[in-house]
Amino acid sequence: MIADARQFADAALIAMASLLPIVNPLGGAPVFLLKTQDLDHAGRALMARRVAQNCFLLLLASVLIGAYVLDLLSLSVGVVRIAGGLVVCSIAWLLLHQDDLQATPARDAARVVSPDDLAQRAFYPLTMPLTVGPGSIAVAITLGANQPSELRQLILIIVAHALGILAVTIAIYLCYRYADRVLARLGRTGTSVLLRLSAFILLCIGVQIIYNGAAELLRIPAAG
């Protein structure tokens, strides 16, 4: 029983420790606020909740079936990283050249947004690839690639991974939910600097993901 509890705790902590630095919800908060600046405070709160829910489902699905899907489609993790890295770079480039966030009452006025529009924006680009990108998905797939064969141990590890992912998504929700309050303390100039810096870091992350994917593919012979 003690061994099972230790294994459960280790698996949950490994999942959280592996995913949280890559997801980096605190670093993504300025980008989230920029992409939702046409919504009021309640609208951003709803969007933050939807993004967190999407992230949980996407990461959990990657852990459970990600490796099987890649095998079925004859895709490697390296290909996924390169494709995802290109998407991340394109979004980061657009953010670098986007207008600054304007925290004015007129800007913060409520805008009527349809449920379909909210759902689409919550998934792309806010969930994927800005929050859960190819790096996070690759880590999640790796977590689920070597599962134990014994049913009891398999259920234990899956629940532990789900708990670790839940902790990560709670951090996402809190950072995004209160992003406006945090950035309000920085002022307009500080927020602009942080947004540009976040976009540049996102661009660097995209380049690094492409590099990692290319390096992985160069070590693996092409499929016949």
Side-chain angles (χ1 to χ4, degrees), residues 140-151:
I141 291 174
T142 302
L143 287 172
N146 299 308
Q147 299 284 22
S149 56
E150 201 269 320
L151 180 60

Side-chain angles (χ1 to χ4, degrees), residues 102-165:
Q102 303 293 332
T104 62
R107 193 82 173 191
D108 288 337
R111 186 173 74 88
V112 177
V113 181
S114 68
D116 287 341
D117 183 43
L118 277 176
Q120 292 174 6
R121 290 170 60 186
F123 184 78
Y124 180 85
L126 291 175
T127 297
M128 183 180 179
L130 290 179
T131 306
V132 174
S136 307
I137 293 175
V139 170
I141 291 174
T142 302
L143 287 172
N146 299 308
Q147 299 284 22
S149 56
E150 201 269 320
L151 180 60
R152 182 169 174 273
Q153 294 295 321
L154 177 62
I155 295 175
L156 184 73
I157 295 299
I158 288 175
V159 174
H161 286 163
L163 185 62
I165 292 171

Side-chain angles (χ1 to χ4, degrees), residues 84-107:
L86 290 172
V87 175
V88 171
C89 286
S90 66
I91 292 177
W93 185 261
L94 292 175
L95 289 173
L96 276 172
H97 296 84
Q98 190 164 333
D99 292 338
D100 291 340
L101 178 68
Q102 303 293 332
T104 62
R107 193 82 173 191

